[in-house]
Amino acid sequence: MSTRADAAVEAVSRAAAPAAPPPGAQASVVERGAAPPAGSLRRLRRRDARLVPVAAAAWATAALSTLHPDAAVPVAVVLWIAAAVSIAAALRLRGAGRGGGALVAVVFAVAAGVATHVAVSLPARDAASALKIDGGRALKVELTAVGKIERSADGWRFDAALHRALLGGRGSEETAFAGAGVPVLVRVAGTEPGGAGETRDGDGAAWRGDDSAAGTRGDAPAALPGRLDDDIDLGARLRVTGTAWRADPGDRAVLVIDANGPVEVLAPPHGALAAASALRRGLVAVTSGLPPPGGGLIAGLAVGDTSAVDPALDAAMKTSSLSHLTAVSGANCALVVALAFGAAALCRAPRGVRVLTGLGALTAFVVLVSPEPSVVRAGAMAAIAMLGILLGRPGAGLSLLTTAVVVLLLADPWLGLSLGFALSAAATGALLVGAGPLADGLSQWMPRPLALGVSVPLAAQLACGPLIVLISPQLSVYGVVANMIAAPAAPLGTIVGLAACVGAGIPLLGSGLAALAWLPAAWIAGTATTFADLPGAVVAWPEGFGGLAALAVLGGAVAALIVPGHPRVRAAAVLLVAAATGAALALGPIADAMTRAGIPPGWTLAACDVGQGDAVVVRSAGSVALIDTGPDPAPLARCLDELGIARVDLLVLTHFDLDHRGGIDAVRGRVGNLVHGPTSGPSDVRVLEELAAGGARITLASRGMSGLLGDAHWRVLWPRATTAPGNDASVVVEFRGGGVPTALFLGDLSAAGQQAMKAGADLLAGYDVVKVAHHGSADQDAALYGRLHAAVALITVGENDYGHPRGETLTLLTAAGARVARTDREGLVALWRDADGMRLWHERAAPPPAAVAPGG
């Protein structure tokens, strides 16, 4: 590390900042830092890195002991014995050897402490896991919400502490578990927190389309009530009735509870948690009337509340590598602590008062934004830094980071497998260790201030990229540039947004501050959407740990090219980067071209591989229908490009779960007619309004509606006009004729919804294709599939933690005589008819197109 970069670390340490500041602030610190002598810098680096093996041992032990909890007790015993032996050996050593022996003893002791924590927690966790919940047995639980309510693909989810569980029917319930807060995950489907829309009933009459290729009637979009109670927030005591299943080893949650009814509030949040909830809701309220998408982003920047962030903007921020700005992290904590500490200093308060002021502000901020992994990591770093200042011994950045990691893993070993915690620590470590050398290397080709600005997001991206591919196997091409442009606005949006949050209840003040915060938020939103819309904004990358390792090696090669080093190392890096570039071209544009060339030109029905979500294309006589858009725009855009689809004449949104409408951006402005299921709140209505602004004619689906798609005929079999929003209100649509295999699309209907649909629907005698409901979940009506006589059962599914498609469903479909086609294993699936009957082609591991017997 260069002298200037070491000075930056020391300056950041003296300022007690728990995380690296944004690029502009980083440059300021570097330029003002006074470089200590070279010898002291070497000692500083050694002192910084001394705790790295301790943190690594704690992390490895946490991961292994939570993945294999039954081994936690023997592992803890062995580690405590090793620690005792190491201490005894260290006491016998002299000089430098004693220090090394002491470090080994600390490593063993910390690892033993982590394993002991897991071992102590086992009895309560095992008691909850032993609940007789197999077979979808219903249970009633009482719990406390310990995490903020977050949107998921199917509704909403939150972490909770389980206190009591009852099994049995009404009048015969018995307490099967009573404990002190075992962690569980609660999922609530088909609801919208806050605000409900008005109800509008359709007439449900059958009708024909106009003279367009995919005619529909232009009714106004409807909105039906459905919401989570405002009191369901962090700290609320709740009662939930539903089903549960055991979580995977390594998960903090012991059980995953799926609510099948309303969530009952036993006691709302109280005290500081109630005040924090009111402040967060107040900020969302005062920003709700500001122009989108910037208005919805303010709460995300200030307090990490992304409930008002438009799904399109959320996707754009992920594509442009800006989503970390709404994940409260070290930068936010640093701003809060620095402001409080500075205010106390301006008042000439003594050092102890300044430290207590900073810690008080930090504590209030953590409560306000909720203790997520990145927040607790940053908060722990800040607290340790402030303690160092109080004792007159401020430590360097890497020492603070490793100490925080050790403390947090001792307190919560399940953080060892938290990807959010790993991303936070990796980003902070990269900024502390890598930004300086990268700036030194880049300054050879560009002005020093620009090199400093580039080095911060580049270091973070090189460190976090390998972990991010575990979530989304793609690379953001313009991420570094987008972060450089957005970075100056982030601190301003955070500070003014926090001020608006605190003043939300004061007339004019809160709304005025929110209006000021809109400016930097709109700048960040505009940056995200601009870069996300550029050609080639993302590049596909291999999935899993293989992709992680490949990107880590490539990132190391890029760093070796930039940082001055040995010529042979740089030569090897050049070869590696050149090889990776060639592979990217071969696996990217060239592979896409080969895929396009391999797709049979006569296809009329194609299921896109968009992950855990639905996106099926129907084509007849040059007209195109798309049923749902999947969870993300990027894979849908890639699929439509491979299929040669430039415009969608008819878009059917079966319902508004994210895995069915999250990819809307891929077709925005290219939709002629939209038929949709009932809406459940403002975010659903906003989706329709944005599509309408792009030229789509909007129609609420109702049973009996019909129209033409080229030479094919389509009709809606469900829902009824009075059906409440949710999975069981999924639009069920049928296509037939015009060269299209006779097909029925069941959306996400449950078994009960399938039975209700079947009871009043005029089904055909048989179908060539059925799109299996809810990605092959176990909740299916076997009688319906036996009635359909489908030749092909199409399951649109991706990697998921629901177990989709379930084994019993696959058995049911096979018993009904259907050939199961799955997008997770076969990739893009295409079907069409020729003189030999219906034929099927699949992208992966595809044999020659096979003839399929027609459905009855």
Side-chain angles (χ1 to χ4, degrees):
M1 185 182 291
S2 70
T3 298
R4 187 179 295 272
D6 280 309
V9 171
E10 185 66 24
V12 171
S13 171
R14 287 198 302 268
Q26 176 78 1
S28 175
V29 169
V30 170
E31 295 301 330
R32 291 197 302 268
S40 68
L41 289 175
R42 285 192 293 271
R43 288 193 297 274
L44 174 63
R45 285 197 292 271
R46 284 197 296 270
R47 186 173 71 246
D48 263 355
R50 192 172 300 171
L51 289 177
V52 169
V54 180
W59 210 318
T61 306
L64 292 174
S65 58
T66 53
L67 278 172
H68 305 285
D70 292 340
V73 172
V75 167
V77 171
V78 170
L79 288 172
W80 280 123
I81 293 173
V85 171
S86 300
I87 292 172
L91 292 175
R92 293 176 175 271
L93 299 174
R94 299 186 177 215
R98 175 171 290 188
L103 179 61
V104 172
V106 171
V107 167
F108 282 125
V110 166
V114 171
T116 300
H117 185 147
V118 176
V120 169
S121 69
L122 280 181
R125 294 176 66 90
D126 288 345
S129 182
L131 284 171
K132 298 177 181 179
I133 55 175
D134 297 320
R137 186 178 182 184
L139 77 162
K140 182 181 293 184
V141 297
E142 294 178 6
L143 41 81
T144 299
V146 297
K148 65 183 181 182
I149 315 300
E150 295 183 310
R151 189 189 299 273
S152 68
D154 294 322
W156 301 85
R157 57 194 290 162
F158 58 91
D159 292 319
L162 175 65
H163 303 299
R164 188 164 173 250
L166 299 93
L167 292 169
R170 292 181 178 178
S172 61
E173 292 176 342
E174 60 181 41
T175 300
F177 172 84
V182 172
V184 296
L185 174 66
V186 180
R187 302 189 302 205
V188 185
T191 54
E192 175 75 28
E198 62 178 332
T199 302
R200 299 183 187 173
D201 295 334
D203 55 27
W207 57 280
R208 298 289 299 183
D210 57 19
D211 56 359
S212 65
T216 58
R217 183 176 52 184
D219 293 347
L224 293 175
R227 60 196 292 272
L228 286 177
D229 192 286
D230 287 346
D231 288 331
I232 300 179
D233 208 335
L234 182 67
R237 184 75 177 242
L238 310 170
R239 180 181 290 132
V240 176
T241 301
T243 57
W245 49 280
R246 297 171 186 87
D248 295 330
D251 289 352
R252 175 184 282 102
V254 178
L255 301 174
V256 178
I257 300 172
D258 288 317
N260 57 16
V263 179
E264 181 183 354
V265 179
L266 301 177
H270 61 276
L273 293 177
S277 176
L279 287 173
R280 289 194 300 268
R281 293 183 186 278
L283 179 59
V284 173
V286 298
T287 58
S288 61
L290 295 173
L297 189 59
I298 296 172
L301 294 173
V303 296
D305 186 342
T306 58
S307 61
V309 176
D310 182 82
L313 176 60
D314 180 61
M317 293 189 70
K318 291 176 181 175
T319 300
S320 55
S321 196
L322 293 175
S323 59
H324 64 92
L325 296 179
T326 57
V328 177
S329 61
N332 304 72
C333 290
L335 285 170
V336 170
V337 171
L339 287 172
F341 194 86
L346 287 175
C347 296
R348 300 185 180 278
R351 182 170 60 184
V353 174
R354 299 179 195 181
V355 170
L356 291 176
T357 302
L359 288 175
L362 176 65
T363 302
F365 181 69
V366 170
V367 172
L368 175 63
V369 301
S370 77
E372 294 182 324
S374 62
V375 179
V376 294
R377 188 273 311 158
M381 283 189 67
I384 293 168
M386 300 302 283
L387 181 61
I389 290 177
L390 183 62
L391 298 175
R393 300 181 62 183
L398 191 56
S399 292
L400 297 177
L401 174 62
T402 49
T403 303
V405 167
V406 169
V407 170
L408 291 170
L409 289 173
L410 283 169
D412 183 1
W414 285 268
L415 285 174
L417 291 174
S418 166
L419 196 55
F421 183 71
L423 283 168
S424 177
T428 305
L431 295 175
L432 293 170
V433 176
L438 287 173
D440 291 339
L442 291 170
S443 62
Q444 301 175 50
W445 303 297
M446 61 184 68
R448 180 73 184 180
L450 180 59
L452 289 166
V454 173
S455 66
V456 171
L458 179 59
Q461 187 142 325
L462 290 177
C464 296
L467 295 172
I468 291 174
V469 297
L470 294 178
I471 307 172
S472 178
Q474 61 186 30
L475 302 181
S476 175
V477 174
Y478 309 115
V480 172
V481 179
N483 273 275
M484 290 178 61
I485 294 175
L492 183 59
T494 299
I495 294 171
V496 181
L498 278 173
C501 182
V502 174
I506 302 175
L508 298 181
L509 179 62
S511 57
L513 289 170
L516 290 176
W518 178 85
L519 294 172
W523 175 267
I524 293 171
T527 301
T529 54
T530 298
F531 281 99
D533 290 340
L534 291 178
V538 293
V539 173
W541 193 261
E543 297 183 74
F545 287 98
L548 180 151
L551 189 54
V553 172
L554 179 60
V558 171
L561 278 178
I562 297 173
V563 178
H566 196 282
R568 291 185 179 178
V569 174
R570 301 194 73 176
V574 169
L575 292 176
L576 184 58
V577 171
T581 303
L585 291 173
L587 297 175
I590 296 175
D592 289 345
M594 293 179 65
T595 299
R596 282 194 294 270
I599 297 173
W603 69 270
T604 54
L605 189 153
C608 293
D609 179 14
V610 293
Q612 179 73 359
D614 282 8
V616 185
V617 183
V618 178
R619 183 177 68 173
S620 176
S623 295
V624 172
L626 173 65
I627 297 92
D628 290 326
T629 67
D632 184 63
L636 177 61
R638 183 167 59 250
C639 178
L640 295 179
D641 182 59
E642 291 173 349
L643 294 172
I645 303 300
R647 179 170 175 78
V648 175
D649 299 287
L650 172 66
L651 172 62
V652 179
L653 284 183
T654 61
H655 60 301
F656 287 86
D657 285 353
L658 288 179
D659 55 336
H660 292 257
R661 52 93 167 173
I664 282 290
D665 271 6
V667 294
R668 192 186 303 274
R670 297 195 286 160
V671 176
N673 297 281
L674 168 66
V675 172
H676 66 90
T679 58
S680 62
S683 66
D684 297 351
V685 175
R686 190 160 56 245
V687 169
L688 300 180
E689 290 172 346
E690 290 171 355
L691 286 167
R697 297 179 64 239
I698 311 298
T699 307
L700 174 65
S702 60
R703 172 178 275 188
M705 180 183 296
S706 64
L708 296 174
L709 179 80
D711 294 335
H713 180 268
W714 61 267
R715 64 179 178 132
V716 173
L717 305 184
W718 186 261
R720 288 191 288 260
T722 55
T723 307
N727 285 351
D728 282 343
S730 295
V731 177
V732 175
V733 62
E734 169 195 282
F735 283 84
R736 56 187 173 87
V740 177
T742 305
L744 185 67
F745 299 85
L746 295 176
D748 273 0
L749 291 184
S750 67
Q754 293 168 30
Q755 292 164 3
M757 183 275 299
K758 178 180 63 175
D762 181 19
L763 293 170
L764 301 178
Y767 291 85
D768 296 324
V769 181
V770 59
K771 201 290 296 182
V772 178
H774 208 175
H775 321 293
S777 76
D779 196 9
Q780 308 286 343
D781 177 26
L784 173 64
Y785 290 94
R787 164 74 175 78
L788 298 178
H789 305 297
V792 173
L794 193 60
I795 302 180
T796 48
V797 65
E799 183 179 350
N800 66 90
D801 57 4
Y802 302 98
H804 297 166
R806 296 291 293 268
E808 53 266 48
T809 299
L810 296 175
T811 300
L812 179 159
L813 296 170
T814 303
R819 191 282 198 201
V820 176
R822 299 170 49 172
T823 56
D824 61 336
R825 294 187 176 179
E826 302 176 51
L828 176 66
V829 175
L831 299 105
W832 71 100
R833 282 189 168 278
D834 60 17
D836 296 324
M838 191 175 70
R839 298 176 69 83
L840 181 149
W841 173 91
H842 41 166
E843 177 184 8
R844 289 197 288 269
V852 180

